[in-house]
Amino acid sequence: MSRYPIRLAVVDDHALFRRGLIGLLDDLPEFKVIGEAGNGQEALALLEQIRPDVLLLDINMPVMDGIDTLHVIRKQGLPVKVLMLTISKHEEDLLGGIRAGADGYLLKNTEPEDLRKAILQVSEGQGAISPEVTGQVLKALARQPSGNPQPLLSDRELEVLECLADGDTTSQIAARLFISENTVKTHVRHILEKLEAANRTEAVSKAIQLGLVQRNSTV
């Protein structure tokens, strides 16, 4: 069993939620919160100074989102368990977090006792996924048999691409998809790389040719 107290760090861009969560966790004898950050970039800087046992990490954040942050954490081989704590039920975020190496995936509407149990499970090397999204994850994985090539673009990237085809700006896409402008820019960068396009217009043009977007004209 893990030693107590389990050292935690909380990463979330909403200060009110973050502070409330920290207050809740500090009231539980099994845990001790030793750090907090408001985005992924701050989280990586924080991890250079402290070594929490479990990192509670949001996904949709400005500057650097949770999945990109987790990729860096795993690439650097940092010895920390990561529990994604988010409002997102989006399939791309679910699978993105799991593929990036998350040890657990919980929704923010999780009851405090279930959160406590999930942190304990993750700290002991067990997985933890919100029941609300377990079925969704299994169905998504079932649609992607091993050995088959992955889709060229993720579901979220296709959504962003549709917005680009509609001529939306970065801020308009962010509002339309309920994500940050920095997250939009990250998705656009990935789209350009995957389609080997020099700019948004060329990306939309290539997407139409590939049948990824149904349009008669480009932006």
Side-chain angles (χ1 to χ4, degrees):
M1 181 175 292
S2 299
R3 58 184 176 79
Y4 296 103
I6 296 169
R7 297 169 301 168
L8 307 176
V10 177
V11 183
D12 195 289
D13 61 318
H14 293 96
L16 190 61
F17 174 83
R18 187 173 72 243
R19 297 296 171 80
L21 178 60
I22 290 172
L24 171 67
L25 296 171
D26 275 338
D27 284 340
L28 299 174
E30 300 101 326
F31 308 133
K32 179 179 178 59
V33 179
I34 62 173
E36 62 177 289
N39 59 60
Q41 192 174 83
E42 291 179 3
L44 294 175
L46 182 68
L47 291 176
E48 292 180 357
Q49 306 170 27
I50 64 172
R51 283 290 181 267
D53 301 307
V54 179
L55 181 70
L56 277 66
L57 182 63
D58 190 15
I59 289 183
N60 293 317
M61 298 182 292
V63 183
M64 187 176 193
D65 67 32
I67 293 178
D68 284 345
T69 303
L70 181 53
H71 276 297
V72 175
I73 289 173
R74 294 309 183 219
K75 184 176 181 180
Q76 293 181 349
L78 301 179
V80 58
K81 302 291 185 182
V82 178
L83 176 60
M84 312 302 289
L85 186 59
T86 176
I87 62 171
S88 178
K89 297 181 184 180
H90 198 282
E91 185 175 300
E92 181 189 1
D93 290 334
L94 289 168
L95 297 185
I98 292 171
R99 289 174 180 144
D103 298 285
Y105 194 105
L106 287 190
L107 299 179
K108 287 183 177 179
N109 62 359
T110 299
E111 292 293 328
E113 177 60 18
D114 292 331
L115 173 62
R116 184 187 73 84
K117 291 178 181 178
I119 296 174
L120 292 175
Q121 287 177 226
V122 167
S123 71
E124 294 170 357
Q126 303 174 40
I129 299 180
S130 284
E132 292 179 59
V133 298
T134 301
Q136 188 177 348
V137 171
L138 293 176
K139 290 177 182 178
L141 293 176
R143 291 198 300 271
Q144 300 177 25
S146 58
N148 282 5
Q150 295 297 314
L152 179 61
L153 298 180
S154 68
D155 289 344
R156 180 51 65 86
E157 287 166 350
L158 287 173
E159 289 179 347
V160 172
L161 190 57
E162 286 282 352
C163 294
L164 292 177
D166 289 339
D168 291 347
T169 64
T170 296
S171 60
Q172 289 171 330
I173 296 172
R176 183 169 164 181
L177 300 182
F178 302 103
I179 57 179
S180 72
E181 291 188 24
N182 282 304
T183 299
V184 172
K185 292 176 182 177
T186 297
H187 286 310
V188 171
R189 184 176 73 250
H190 292 164
I191 290 169
L192 296 182
E193 291 172 353
K194 291 180 178 180
L195 295 181
E196 298 181 353
N199 52 52
R200 298 182 178 201
T201 300
E202 184 179 352
V204 173
S205 178
K206 286 190 172 184
I208 292 172
Q209 294 174 28
L210 292 171
L212 298 175
V213 174
Q214 301 301 319
R215 290 291 188 281
N216 294 320
S217 60
T218 61
V219 293

